[in-house]
Coordinates of all heavy atoms in Angstrom, one line a residue:
Chain O
V4 N 36.6 3.8 75.4 CA 36.1 5.1 75.8 C 34.9 4.9 76.8 O 34.8 5.6 77.8 CB 35.5 5.8 74.6 CG1 34.9 7.2 75.0 CG2 36.6 6.0 73.6
K16 N 30.9 9.9 91.8 CA 29.8 9.6 92.7 C 30.3 8.9 93.9 O 29.5 8.6 94.8 CB 28.8 8.8 92.0 CG 28.1 9.5 90.8 CD 26.6 9.4 90.9 CE 26.0 10.6 90.1 NZ 24.6 10.8 90.4
L20 N 33.1 -0.5 92.9 CA 32.7 -1.4 91.9 C 31.5 -2.2 92.5 O 30.4 -2.4 91.8 CB 33.8 -2.4 91.6 CG 35.0 -1.9 90.8 CD1 36.0 -3.0 90.7 CD2 34.5 -1.5 89.4
E36 N 35.3 -5.4 84.3 CA 35.7 -5.8 83.0 C 35.2 -4.7 82.0 O 36.0 -4.5 81.0 CB 35.1 -7.2 82.6 CG 35.5 -8.2 83.6 CD 35.8 -9.6 83.0 OE1 35.2 -9.9 81.9 OE2 36.5 -10.4 83.6
S46 N 25.2 -5.3 76.9 CA 23.8 -5.3 76.7 C 23.2 -3.9 77.0 O 23.7 -3.1 77.9 CB 23.1 -6.3 77.5 OG 23.0 -5.9 78.9
A47 N 22.2 -3.5 76.2 CA 21.6 -2.2 76.4 C 21.0 -2.2 77.8 O 21.0 -1.1 78.4 CB 20.5 -2.1 75.3
V59 N 23.3 9.8 83.5 CA 23.5 10.2 82.1 C 22.6 9.4 81.2 O 22.0 8.5 81.7 CB 25.0 10.0 81.7 CG1 25.9 11.0 82.4 CG2 25.4 8.6 81.9
I100 N 15.5 22.6 63.2 CA 16.3 21.5 63.6 C 16.1 20.3 62.6 O 17.1 19.7 62.2 CB 16.0 21.0 65.0 CG1 16.4 22.0 66.0 CG2 16.7 19.6 65.3 CD1 16.1 21.7 67.5
S104 N 19.1 19.0 60.2 CA 19.6 17.6 60.6 C 19.6 16.7 59.4 O 20.1 15.6 59.4 CB 18.7 17.0 61.7 OG 17.5 16.6 61.2

Side-chain angles (χ1 to χ4, degrees):
Chain O
V4 181
K16 297 227 157 194
L20 290 173
E36 302 217 338
S46 74
V59 294
I100 293 176
S104 73

